[in-house]
Amino acid sequence: KYSVPSCYYIYNATTGDRVFDHHYPEPSSPLDFGKAFSSVMFAFAGASTFPTIQADMKEKSQFPKAAVYSMIILCLVYLPMSVVGWGLLGDKVGGSVIDSLCNGPAKVCIEILFL
């Protein structure tokens, strides 16, 4: 019934122990925004295949709806993962949030979902 972040906060509230010792560093330069923005845009790089997808569709008029839905699904996949990773791990997050997770069934499920 409880999500992983909920369990984390319930554990902290009941025991007073912090599972993760982290802090949230300030950006060191204006270029940090550019690096973060380029990482987010990389996730949407598949948009270059849109003309091919539209050409293969039976009802080409439905393409705008398909493109909007696909972007919403991408956001629903990527944003929660990044927010939860940053919220729980702070500066302990490595190059990939998935690599920073503890080994176990949750990590395996997430890895499978990202295939």
Side-chain angles (χ1 to χ4, degrees), residues 29-53:
S29 77
L31 295 176
D32 287 349
F33 173 78
K35 290 177 187 176
F37 186 73
S38 66
S39 295
V40 171
M41 288 298 102
F42 176 77
F44 298 96
S48 63
T49 63
F50 282 178
T52 305
I53 294 169

Side-chain angles (χ1 to χ4, degrees), residues 9-93:
Y9 288 116
I10 290 169
Y11 176 80
N12 282 343
T14 56
T15 64
D17 293 337
R18 293 194 60 93
V19 176
F20 305 109
D21 183 26
H22 60 277
H23 70 285
Y24 303 102
E26 295 293 322
S28 58
S29 77
L31 295 176
D32 287 349
F33 173 78
K35 290 177 187 176
F37 186 73
S38 66
S39 295
V40 171
M41 288 298 102
F42 176 77
F44 298 96
S48 63
T49 63
F50 282 178
T52 305
I53 294 169
Q54 185 177 15
D56 293 339
M57 291 179 69
K58 286 182 183 178
E59 295 182 41
K60 293 176 183 18
S61 63
Q62 295 294 320
F63 179 74
K65 188 189 305 184
V68 168
Y69 286 151
S70 66
M71 290 298 147
I72 290 171
I73 290 169
L74 274 176
C75 287
L76 290 174
V77 170
Y78 284 114
L79 287 177
M81 190 66 186
S82 62
V83 169
V84 169
W86 179 254
L88 294 178
L89 300 174
D91 64 338
K92 302 279 187 217
V93 176

